[in-house]
Amino acid sequence: MRGLARIAGALAGLLTLSACLVTPGQFESSLDIRADRRFAFAYKGEILASDTSPAGWTGVDPDADMQDGEAAEPTFLPVAAQAEEDFSANGADDDDAQMQAIAAALSREKGFRSARYLGDHTFAIDYATSGRLDHAFLFPFNIDAQIILPFVAVELRGDDKVRVKAPGFAADFDKSQGPGGLGGAGDKAAKALNGRFILTTDAQIISQNQEEGAQDTPGGQRIVWTVTPLSSDAPMATLRLAP
């Protein structure tokens, strides 16, 4: 679980470039939870960085002249952060150089087996971690930027239950990041969503929202959610662990 804290600094740079947000693109992700609380998580695929400036979300330049009586577009307040890594590309303002610096920083963090910048604010990520569920798990998260937008969250509920929810693996997650659900970057991110999220477990499945249900496997049960731009419901399941 310490690996989560170690990636916070690197993700801070990604989240704070022009107050950007991160969303999934094409991906394959898996989460294995054992009844004895052992877990393993992996994410391999794209992460998209979206500009949250008013122009980035709405396509409207906030500095453009407004006609009398015309309503102003909603705006975002800048996100303040104190990142440990320097993502300024030696003081240069070049956006591409900053993105390359972030990819290099992520690749040095525990859990990131590789992190490459592909251009157009798109990163290719290969991440994997494992541990024990003695407290909540989030991926990705950033504490320095005072913002948490998890693709996947595992929450402990009581002494013997965990709830898994993957809000990032639903189109509504991407669209909701824009002000008032407006178009722009949020719609573009939603259209890029394409992947699978696989949950495997030997714990008791109390509830889940995949309509085809769980499949029996030699190691327990398996639930597969196919994620597309039409996916409106985030993958979700509640498990009962061993006492």
Side-chain angles (χ1 to χ4, degrees):
M1 302 296 285
R2 287 182 297 177
L4 291 175
R6 296 182 61 181
I7 69 173
L11 287 174
L14 186 58
L15 284 166
T16 56
L17 284 176
S18 301
C20 66
L21 300 174
V22 291
T23 54
Q26 295 189 30
F27 71 93
E28 184 89 6
S29 182
S30 63
L31 174 64
D32 180 73
I33 297 177
R34 300 288 96 185
D36 62 3
R37 296 180 181 266
R38 287 177 296 131
F39 85 98
F41 173 80
Y43 181 96
K44 187 173 184 179
E46 297 174 338
I47 286 182
L48 312 180
S50 300
D51 183 7
T52 61
S53 65
W57 281 107
T58 66
V60 176
D61 184 354
D63 295 326
D65 293 337
M66 303 291 291
Q67 299 295 326
D68 291 341
E70 186 176 355
E73 295 288 352
T75 61
F76 268 80
L77 294 177
V79 178
Q82 298 293 329
E84 294 181 2
E85 298 279 358
D86 179 11
F87 300 104
S88 61
N90 297 322
D93 292 329
D94 182 77
D95 182 70
D96 186 71
Q98 289 181 338
M99 293 289 176
Q100 294 284 5
I102 290 170
L106 288 176
S107 66
R108 294 193 295 269
E109 294 295 327
K110 183 177 180 180
F112 283 88
R113 296 184 287 199
S114 68
R116 295 182 296 114
Y117 180 55
L118 304 178
D120 195 25
H121 284 209
T122 301
F123 295 82
I125 299 296
D126 186 355
Y127 176 86
T129 190
S130 61
R132 182 174 175 81
L133 287 174
D134 49 19
H135 52 80
F137 170 82
L138 299 174
F139 175 85
F141 83 108
N142 174 259
I143 194 170
D144 291 320
Q146 301 179 26
I147 191 167
I148 297 177
L149 297 171
F151 296 177
V152 177
V154 182
E155 176 189 14
L156 302 183
R157 300 178 69 84
D159 295 331
D160 62 348
K161 298 184 188 70
V162 295
R163 184 175 70 167
V164 177
K165 189 169 184 178
F169 300 157
D172 285 349
F173 171 84
D174 301 306
K175 294 178 180 178
S176 69
Q177 305 314 313
L182 296 175
D187 286 334
K188 292 179 182 178
K191 291 177 181 177
L193 192 60
N194 181 16
R196 292 197 310 166
F197 177 52
I198 302 171
L199 173 65
T200 53
T201 186
D202 62 352
Q204 178 188 354
I205 300 174
I206 299 174
S207 64
Q208 56 86 29
N209 67 345
Q210 213 285 2
E211 62 181 17
E212 295 182 2
Q215 305 165 356
D216 291 331
T217 67
Q221 291 183 296
R222 179 175 184 258
I223 307 172
V224 180
W225 288 269
T226 299
V227 181
T228 74
L230 299 179
S231 300
S232 58
D233 295 329
M236 184 168 55
T238 301
L239 311 178
R240 188 186 304 278
L241 305 179

